[in-house]
């Protein structure tokens, strides 16, 4: 089989030969793009299992996942697969073993890639090969038992209240200034705030719902509720509605993540703040302020949507004078 053929009845067919006998199989469509997709899937189906290569599975995996994952997630998988084949080769799928995954790790580190990035790729490969087991391409996941690389957790870059005040005063665009303020006061992720529809703002229960909406899917597919403080509540109540998104563009369409990030970076430079600050730092700032105000980490975890308290603990920043005050609280009566 080389390509689908269009017959006189207007339908595309796949033509293949088995034991010298030519067979025509209808692809059930007159659309060339759909016919090509079905043709590629049929080719893989006809291929003996022992002959299926890593690239064969990756193509099938992407075809299946395209209907259930966001485009960015698909891009991530394609990136991982490209690197895997470059380093490990397009070998027979059934011959894969943990050593291949270890070689992939070594190859990516040799490429100079950060351990965190390597672990992200390992996570995606593990998920993909788990699917290969479920679909009976292979009997075992070659990633099982392979450990992630050890790495240091990067300290979250955030602003103090005073630094946020300086930034606030440097933003002349009132709408953008309010977007920044809401992001800090809710500790929402960039994707969550720019994809927030009005229907997920619950004024009666004073909360914002983070929930899948159109092309947006929350990180980790986690659905959560964020309470609104008095300022956010008052601001959103009086904010004019221009389309279905709370912070949509004037034409009602979605803001772009890169656009709001670049805009914020411009104001960060004007305010002469840490140049490492970016839009996600607003979330870090909100979480850090909650911790600083004495909110229990377990509450902060719920508000921020962290997967564990270990993640939340990254935001517990202790000053030297606070440590001194802490030890001065200790006393032994016998020494007085």
């Amino acid at each position: 089989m080389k390509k689908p053929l269009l017959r006189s009845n207007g339908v595309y067919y796949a033509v293949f030969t088995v034991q010298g006998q030519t067979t025509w199989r209808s692809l059930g469509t007159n659309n060339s793009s759909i016919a090509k997709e079905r043709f590629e899937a049929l080719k893989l189906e006809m291929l003996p299992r022992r002959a299926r290569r890593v690239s064969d599975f990756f193509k099938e995996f992407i075809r299946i996942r395209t209907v259930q994952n966001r485009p960015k997630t698909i891009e991530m998988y394609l990136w991982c697969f490209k690197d895997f084949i470059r380093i490990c080769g397009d070998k027979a799928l059934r011959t894969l073993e943990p050593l291949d995954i270890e070689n992939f790790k070594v190859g990516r580190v040799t490429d100079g890639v950060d351990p965190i990035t390597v672990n992200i790729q390992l996570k995606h490969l593990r998920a993909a090969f788990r699917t290969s087991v479920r679909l009976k391409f292979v009997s075992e996941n070659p990633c099982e038992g392979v450990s992630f690389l050890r790495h240091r957790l990067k300290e979250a870059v955030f602003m103090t209240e005073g630094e946020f005040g300086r930034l606030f005063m440097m933003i002349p665009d009132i709408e953008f200034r309010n977007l920044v303020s809401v992001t800090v006061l809710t500790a929402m992720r960039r994707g969550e705030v720019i994809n927030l529809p009005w229907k997920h703002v619950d004024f009666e229960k004073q909360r914002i719902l983070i929930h899948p909406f159109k092309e947006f899917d929350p990180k980790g597919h986690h659905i959560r509720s964020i309470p609104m403080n008095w300022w956010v509540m008052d601001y959103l109540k009086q904010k004019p509605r221009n389309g279905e998104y709370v912070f949509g563009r004037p034409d009602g369409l979605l803001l772009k993540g890169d656009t709001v990030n670049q805009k914020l970076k411009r104001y960060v430079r004007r305010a002469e703040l840490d140049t490492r600050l970016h839009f996600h730092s607003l979330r870090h700032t909100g979480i850090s302020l909650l911790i600083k105000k004495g909110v229990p980490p377990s509450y902060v975890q719920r508000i921020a949507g962290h997967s564990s308290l270990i993640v939340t603990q990254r935001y517990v920043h202790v000053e030297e004078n606070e440590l001194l005050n802490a030890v001065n609280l200790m006393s032994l009566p016998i020494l007085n």
Side-chain angles (χ1 to χ4, degrees):
M1 293 189 294
K2 292 185 178 180
K3 63 180 181 178
L5 299 177
L6 183 64
R7 297 193 72 169
S8 57
N9 62 359
V11 177
Y12 281 93
Y13 282 74
V15 185
F16 53 93
T17 303
V18 178
Q19 296 180 347
Q21 184 174 355
T22 301
T23 302
W24 291 68
R25 181 179 293 187
S26 172
L27 295 173
T29 182
N30 59 4
N31 182 293
S32 61
S33 298
I34 296 175
K36 187 175 180 180
E37 281 186 24
R38 293 178 180 176
F39 180 75
E40 292 299 325
L42 182 59
K43 272 174 60 177
L44 184 58
E45 181 184 321
M46 300 292 295
L47 193 66
R49 288 187 182 275
R50 64 180 180 277
R52 292 178 181 177
R53 313 199 75 77
V54 171
S55 60
D56 294 324
F57 165 67
F58 286 166
K59 288 176 185 176
E60 188 68 1
F61 177 85
I62 291 298
R63 184 184 70 82
I64 294 169
R65 284 302 185 98
T66 298
V67 299
Q68 54 186 297
N69 287 128
R70 290 176 294 171
K72 283 190 175 181
T73 303
I74 297 300
E75 287 177 16
M76 180 71 74
Y77 277 116
L78 288 171
W79 168 55
C80 296
F81 297 161
K82 181 180 178 181
D83 282 333
F84 184 84
I85 291 176
R86 173 176 60 83
I87 293 170
C88 300
D90 189 15
K91 57 200 307 184
L93 187 64
R94 66 188 180 87
T95 66
L96 284 183
E97 54 188 9
L99 180 59
D100 293 296
I101 311 302
E102 295 290 355
N103 287 336
F104 173 77
K105 286 164 56 178
V106 172
R108 292 303 278 147
V109 171
T110 303
D111 288 341
V113 177
D114 184 271
I116 295 177
T117 303
V118 178
N119 287 343
I120 290 172
Q121 289 194 305
L122 285 174
K123 178 183 174 183
H124 283 77
L125 286 172
R126 180 170 291 176
F129 287 125
R130 190 179 298 126
T131 299
S132 75
V133 174
R134 181 174 61 81
L135 296 178
K136 302 187 184 306
F137 278 80
V138 292
S139 57
E140 294 182 358
N141 185 340
C143 292
E144 290 303 326
V146 177
S147 60
F148 291 111
L149 293 173
R150 295 180 64 180
H151 63 86
R152 290 182 179 179
L153 281 175
K154 291 183 178 179
E155 186 176 346
V157 184
F158 68 102
M159 291 176 281
T160 63
E161 287 186 68
E163 288 170 334
F164 176 75
R166 281 164 53 191
L167 175 67
F168 186 86
M169 297 304 294
M170 284 293 170
I171 305 176
D173 182 338
I174 296 176
E175 183 67 13
F176 188 73
R177 192 165 66 199
N178 289 332
L179 166 63
V180 166
S181 300
V182 169
T183 305
V184 171
L185 292 173
T186 59
M188 285 196 287
R189 298 179 176 90
R190 184 181 71 181
E192 293 170 348
V193 72
I194 66 177
N195 285 279
L196 178 64
W198 280 109
K199 69 178 184 179
H200 289 171
V201 179
D202 187 342
F203 290 111
E204 184 178 342
K205 294 184 178 179
Q206 201 169 331
R207 64 180 184 175
I208 289 172
L209 299 174
I210 302 302
H211 199 280
F213 179 66
K214 289 191 175 179
E215 296 299 318
F216 174 70
D217 190 14
K219 184 177 180 180
H221 312 294
H222 295 148
I223 299 171
R224 75 182 192 280
S225 169
I226 302 173
M228 292 187 283
N229 76 351
W230 66 269
W231 188 91
V232 175
M233 183 81 166
D234 288 349
Y235 166 67
L236 292 182
K237 274 188 172 180
Q238 56 81 34
K239 188 181 189 304
R241 300 195 179 194
N242 181 34
E244 60 185 328
Y245 297 101
V246 175
F247 292 104
R249 297 183 338 192
D251 58 8
L253 298 178
L254 273 173
L255 288 171
K256 291 186 177 180
D258 289 342
T259 300
V260 296
N261 191 51
Q262 290 167 8
K263 197 169 184 178
L264 183 79
K265 294 282 282 185
R266 186 163 66 247
Y267 295 130
V268 164
R269 289 192 293 270
R270 287 185 190 176
E272 298 182 346
L273 297 173
D274 189 333
T275 54
R276 294 177 300 165
L277 290 166
H278 48 84
F279 200 88
H280 197 67
S281 302
L282 300 176
R283 169 174 162 82
H284 296 328
T285 298
I287 295 170
S288 297
L289 288 176
L290 287 171
I291 295 287
K292 197 78 172 176
K293 296 296 183 181
V295 178
S298 59
Y299 288 18
V300 177
Q301 179 193 359
R302 288 277 301 278
I303 294 168
H306 287 152
S307 57
S308 73
L309 275 173
I310 295 174
V311 180
T312 308
Q313 291 297 331
R314 292 175 59 198
Y315 298 87
V316 181
H317 309 281
V318 183
E319 306 293 341
E320 288 295 325
N321 63 329
E322 293 174 334
L323 292 175
L324 180 60
N325 291 336
V327 296
N328 281 331
L329 292 174
M330 293 189 296
S331 64
L332 295 171
I334 196 170
L335 298 178
N336 294 335

